[in-house]
Amino acid sequence: MLIETLSTFPNMYDSVMGTSIMKRAQDKGALQFRAYDLRDWTHDRHRTTDDDPYGGGHGLVMKCEPIFEAYEAITRDAALPKPTTVFLSPCGRSFDDALATELSQSERLLFVCGHYEGIDERAYALADVTVSLGDYVLTSGELASMVVIDAVVRKIPGVLGAELGAVEESFAGGLLEYPQYTRPASFRGSCVPDVLLSGNHAAIARWRREQSLARTAQLRPDLLRCADLDEADRRFLRNFLESAHA
Ligand code: ADE
């Protein structure tokens, strides 16, 4: 996969993209990453990328001309597929595991990252999707894009060491992940649940499933509506919710 970003602080990506799994994905050849500087497509002495909002108000708005010029230059190479272009904004589609999976199927992603008060609305004509991380405002679109990039790249086949990792964890089955433990078995009086030391794989699988169900019911009951549940899951949830309300 080719991932490109267009922003005013391209060096913000150095640490995240140069470390750990993001770096390994590039070393393995599963990912190519390029961070473009939007200022390279400005034409004035100050390399201006923003201006006052029409209609008045606080802050600055990112100009659309450098964004269009950059987009046209970045996508000019006919040998490369046209990118899926992702804008980041609190006014976008909520980011979740399903959207991460969708984006991970694209051969090429281009993230356009704003700063300050926002981006001139006309630039959104270039967006295939606008993504919001949640109901809060970040100062840096780069930061938002890095969260999306991380969640997407770990879904590329071969990127995670343990192939099952991305499938088994939270959300993939529509539930929160069960609790995990490692050595020591007892720490300051707090012990690992006996079942995990039992060697009984069927019992461990059932315990983990029930922990996922209980956690989801307690913390994110909204997820249960779309989760993939069988009859044993439903029975467990009925009992769990009855005893919680008793
Ligand atoms: N840029 C600023 N705030 C954001 C948010 N919540 N999600 C995505 N991009 C953003």
Side-chain angles (χ1 to χ4, degrees), residues 117-200:
E117 288 302 292
I119 300 178
D120 186 307
E121 191 62 25
R122 292 166 289 187
Y124 286 92
L126 299 172
D128 291 302
V129 59
T130 301
V131 175
S132 167
L133 290 193
D135 295 337
Y136 46 82
V137 180
L138 301 168
T139 54
S140 152
E142 285 92 342
L143 210 50
S145 72
M146 280 186 256
V147 171
V148 176
I149 290 168
D150 185 287
V152 166
V153 169
R154 64 200 302 289
K155 285 182 182 282
I156 303 173
V159 164
L160 289 190
E163 282 293 314
L164 272 180
V167 175
E168 267 190 10
E169 69 197 348
S170 292
F171 302 115
L175 297 175
L176 300 184
E177 195 182 28
Y178 49 80
Q180 297 271 26
Y181 298 87
T182 186
R183 277 180 278 273
S186 170
F187 174 69
R188 297 185 181 173
S190 174
C191 294
V192 172
D194 287 338
V195 64
L196 298 180
L197 311 177
S198 69
N200 180 339

